[in-house]
Amino acid sequence: MKSSICVAATVFLIVLGIWLADLLDDQSKSVKMTESVAAYSDWECGYQHMLDCKVVFETKVNKSYPVQRIRYGKDFMAIKVSQAGISGWISAGKGVQVSAEPNT
């Protein structure tokens, strides 16, 4: 009984560590907008143009945004950014340049 609890706790801690490493890697990146891009409420909206999607804000041209999270779907990458305290998802592509922040 004790060993199964230890195994379960170890597996949980490994999964948590992998998730945190992925999150920190995402947050080490930034995006620069070369043109205005719509940020949507859902991460799949920019790619699939779903009917129930709403634009939460438009990004500003020549502005860099820190990345909060990156999600990958089939044939696309969605990036979560925020502007004026509002979070939204943009699709990587035309007008979006993703780069890693320099380590200091």
Side-chain angles (χ1 to χ4, degrees):
M1 179 70 167
K2 210 177 224 186
S3 65
S4 63
I5 292 174
C6 289
V7 169
T10 302
V11 169
F12 173 77
L13 290 174
I14 289 171
V15 170
L16 181 64
I18 291 170
W19 177 78
L20 284 174
D22 183 49
L23 182 65
L24 292 174
D25 181 57
D26 289 351
Q27 292 177 348
S28 71
K29 296 175 176 56
S30 66
V31 291
K32 182 175 182 176
M33 303 299 152
T34 57
E35 59 187 64
S36 184
V37 176
Y40 295 94
S41 57
D42 187 84
W43 71 278
E44 294 179 317
C45 290
Y47 178 71
Q48 298 179 355
H49 302 291
M50 298 163 44
L51 295 176
D52 58 343
C53 294
K54 70 175 194 169
V55 175
V56 289
F57 63 87
E58 293 278 335
T59 61
K60 297 178 180 164
V61 179
N62 293 325
K63 183 171 181 194
S64 292
Y65 295 88
V67 172
Q68 294 177 341
R69 193 73 174 117
I70 297 176
R71 300 275 312 257
Y72 297 93
K74 185 176 185 218
D75 301 328
F76 77 102
M77 177 173 69
I79 305 160
K80 187 175 186 180
V81 297
S82 66
Q83 177 176 282
I86 301 170
S87 293
W89 292 90
I90 58 173
S91 291
K94 186 178 178 189
V96 179
Q97 296 176 344
V98 182
S99 62
E101 292 289 331
N103 292 332
T104 55

